[in-house]
Amino acid sequence: MDRKARKPAHQRGQLSREAIVEAAAATLAAEGLPGLTMRHVADKLGVEAMSLYNHVRDKRDLLDGVAGRTLAGITTPDPAQPWPQRLRTLVLSLYDILAANPWLVMVLTTEQIEPREPSVLSAMETAIAIFEEAGLDPPRCVSAFRGLLALCFGLVLTHTIGLRMSPAEADARFAEADVDQWANAGVPRLVALAPQFLLTKPRDDLRFMLDAYIAALEGQSGARMGP
């Protein structure tokens, strides 16, 4: 049976950039970045691979669209709130999106994707405005912005066991860990702390690191860049 025969009736004649991006997002969620090919996306839609190029320039353009579509859900902070609270809202929202779509970390870091959707650019603009309000000079605004991304990417990488599962699935995996293996390893502090590894959740890590990050920004306010 050829692809056109397999094509779902509700998709016939409705190929669009939006449909292609949605199919690519589903592929990434199920198989990760290695599983995403133009042919695979075309097969999902029941069309020939060449027909995709009427709507997306290439794979990079497709990844741009998927990243932008996913990141469009970032919450816009209330401008009336103090900057630390606005930053918390922004970072928590970004983390939640990345943790729910761990493949996105791989897409953004290894493919050098730069989403250009208005909602994504608006979130970036909001972050820079927060850093300026916190009193950072331009070089520190850049460092703070990169640091924010590194904070979220790093925590998601840790909380998803190398981007291989959701934080909830990783929690379940950690809960099955054999902490008794440390009992005779000469690491008494690690043994004593072992139960806390099971009680402390990913969002506890995020809140702790975010509080430290905000405290660091407050400490840097108005400071000059060193050599």
Side-chain angles (χ1 to χ4, degrees):
M1 183 179 297
D2 63 22
R3 289 183 187 139
K4 292 189 181 298
R6 297 197 307 267
K7 185 178 178 181
H10 71 280
Q11 292 177 345
R12 291 173 188 161
Q14 297 183 12
L15 187 62
S16 64
R17 181 179 175 87
E18 183 179 354
I20 295 168
V21 166
E22 185 175 346
T27 299
L28 285 164
E31 304 180 35
L33 186 57
L36 182 69
T37 65
M38 300 298 274
R39 182 174 296 279
H40 196 159
V41 173
D43 285 343
K44 270 186 171 295
L45 294 168
V47 299
E48 296 293 335
M50 289 303 297
S51 64
L52 302 184
Y53 293 99
N54 293 321
H55 305 276
V56 294
R57 292 190 304 275
D58 49 29
K59 185 177 178 180
R60 182 184 178 87
D61 185 35
L62 177 57
L63 287 171
D64 277 340
V66 176
R69 173 183 182 271
T70 309
L71 289 169
I74 295 176
T75 300
T76 301
D78 181 350
Q81 293 178 328
W83 73 259
Q85 185 56 44
R86 300 206 311 276
L87 187 60
R88 285 187 177 90
T89 297
L90 196 64
V91 174
L92 287 168
S93 177
L94 175 60
Y95 169 85
D96 285 342
I97 289 173
L98 294 173
N101 304 278
W103 52 265
L104 185 55
V105 174
M106 185 68 71
V107 167
L108 292 172
T109 55
T110 66
E111 300 297 317
Q112 299 181 341
I113 297 303
E114 299 176 356
R116 297 179 294 275
E117 277 70 9
S119 58
V120 179
L121 295 177
S122 177
M124 295 169 66
E125 180 77 2
T126 296
I128 298 301
I130 290 172
F131 299 143
E132 289 180 348
E133 186 175 337
L136 302 187
D137 58 21
R140 279 191 165 84
C141 280
V142 172
S143 294
F145 182 78
R146 290 174 178 167
L148 182 150
L149 294 180
L151 171 65
C152 288
F153 288 175
L155 286 176
V156 171
L157 181 67
T158 301
H159 293 159
T160 59
I161 310 182
L163 310 179
R164 292 185 288 119
M165 55 190 66
S166 71
E169 291 170 333
D171 263 356
R173 177 71 63 84
F174 287 135
E176 297 172 356
D178 179 17
V179 295
D180 292 335
Q181 63 182 311
W182 299 331
N184 300 314
V187 286
R189 292 180 180 82
L190 192 55
V191 170
L193 199 61
Q196 197 63 48
F197 277 94
L198 306 181
L199 296 173
T200 304
K201 301 302 181 185
R203 270 195 160 237
D204 297 326
D205 301 346
L206 176 60
R207 290 191 178 94
F208 174 81
M209 294 303 296
L210 185 52
D211 285 346
Y213 180 88
I214 289 173
L217 291 186
E218 291 173 328
Q220 292 291 320
S221 177
R224 298 182 62 185
M225 288 290 286

